[in-house]
Amino acid sequence: MAHFILPTNDILLGNGVVPAEKIGNELLKAKIWVFTSKAPLLKHIENGDKLLIYLCGSKRMQFIGRAEVVSKPNPIPPDTEVDDLVKMLGLEWFKYYCPLKNIAIFKQPIPIQPMIGDLKFIKDKKNWGLNLRLPI
């Protein structure tokens, strides 16, 4: 079992923006997470792994929930609820998903800034963002 942080950011679509909060909350409500084919963690995530959902951006930098992976990521089947959700969120280039269980959406987001100094997996405390893309 591994632990992963899944960063989520706003998605710019034509004239609008899909906020990271909406993406994170909708995916967690649907009990899934989605990945692009080039996502760094795609080949590492397995059944039983623990996930923390992290909202990126200078006015966020906070965890909004946690979940456990039910099975490794698989291609999103066409014409399914998962496919419909991905399209509704404007994430058509996300081609893989994994089902989740034991999901908790935090009542209050948990800011990461106060924790940076205590997180041992973050070696460079000034440039810590890239550390969130690797297994911990």
Side-chain angles (χ1 to χ4, degrees):
M1 173 186 61
H3 294 84
F4 297 95
I5 295 173
L6 300 180
T8 308
N9 212 337
D10 296 342
I11 301 291
L12 302 174
L13 294 176
N15 295 333
V17 174
V18 181
E21 292 87 352
K22 180 175 182 170
I23 295 168
N25 286 320
E26 292 291 332
L27 293 175
L28 290 174
K29 275 188 352 192
K31 299 181 179 177
I32 63 167
W33 202 259
V34 296
F35 305 89
T36 66
S37 59
K38 295 183 180 186
L41 303 178
L42 184 63
K43 295 179 180 165
H44 300 285
I45 291 180
E46 298 284 339
N47 179 29
D49 287 345
K50 309 292 184 190
L51 309 175
L52 271 175
I53 310 306
Y54 176 76
L55 297 185
C56 302
S58 62
K59 296 188 188 226
R60 293 186 189 104
M61 294 189 261
Q62 57 196 8
F63 298 103
I64 62 161
R66 63 176 164 75
E68 183 178 335
V69 174
V70 172
S71 67
K72 67 181 184 176
N74 287 294
I76 297 172
D79 304 317
T80 60
E81 287 182 26
V82 173
D83 188 44
D84 291 344
L85 177 60
V86 165
K87 289 175 182 171
M88 185 271 294
L89 292 171
L91 304 174
E92 287 90 351
W93 68 95
F94 285 67
K95 300 297 184 187
Y96 292 84
Y97 84 104
C98 65
L100 305 175
K101 66 180 182 180
N102 300 326
I103 297 165
I105 298 174
F106 305 144
K107 290 180 183 177
Q108 294 294 321
I110 301 169
I112 193 171
Q113 289 288 53
M115 295 184 229
I116 298 294
D118 296 326
L119 296 174
K120 292 182 171 107
F121 70 93
I122 296 177
K123 303 297 181 214
D124 182 349
K125 304 299 183 184
K126 289 184 181 180
N127 302 302
W128 49 268
L130 290 177
N131 291 273
L132 303 182
R133 302 183 69 192
L134 304 171
I136 53 174

